[in-house]
Amino acid sequence: MTAILASVLFAQTHVRTLSVFGVNGDGELGRKWANGQVYRRDSWGVASNDWPLGTRLRITNPHEKKTVVVTVVDRMAKRFSGKRVDATRAVWKALSSRGYGLVRGVRVRKA
């Protein structure tokens, strides 16, 4: 029973990499996301190829003990295969005190 519960919990919590969505953000301004919304500096959402559009995700940065709930609003280019979630600048600021970059070991699961 314990092994079954452990495997279910492991399947529900994926350790992923979180990165900022467009390091300077200016190149993405005004671009439409896959869900039809237009990207603005204060936009709240993430891009991911692992979850369907519209999926609500709980993202936790254990290094800074911060958690947010966001919606998958866009897809990522295939060249970013090492990243699982790409965050907008607003989401990034809520999760990380760093200006930009990558945070490894971030937990991402369905909200």
Side-chain angles (χ1 to χ4, degrees):
M1 180 70 172
T2 304
I4 293 171
L5 179 59
S7 65
V8 168
L9 289 175
F10 179 77
Q12 290 177 352
T13 304
H14 307 282
V15 176
R16 302 293 191 197
T17 299
L18 174 74
S19 68
V20 68
F21 184 67
V23 173
N24 65 7
D26 293 338
E28 302 294 326
L29 289 174
R31 185 179 74 83
K32 276 193 175 181
W33 282 328
N35 72 350
Q37 292 177 323
V38 176
Y39 177 72
R40 297 183 321 269
R41 281 199 172 97
D42 62 345
S43 296
W44 189 261
V46 296
S48 177
N49 293 333
D50 293 342
W51 290 277
L53 290 174
T55 303
R56 292 176 47 85
L57 301 175
R58 180 178 307 280
I59 304 175
T60 302
N61 180 352
H63 310 294
E64 299 191 27
K65 297 178 176 47
K66 296 179 179 179
T67 300
V68 296
V69 175
V70 296
T71 303
V72 176
V73 295
D74 201 12
R75 295 284 171 226
M76 294 171 36
K78 298 224 186 274
R79 67 178 183 264
F80 299 122
S81 60
K83 297 186 283 185
R84 297 295 183 240
V85 175
D86 223 2
T88 62
R89 191 166 290 280
V91 173
W92 177 265
K93 285 181 179 179
L95 282 173
S96 178
S97 59
R98 295 165 52 185
Y100 61 90
L102 295 175
V103 177
R104 299 191 187 283
V106 171
R107 287 192 295 273
V108 179
R109 63 179 179 177
K110 278 181 123 177

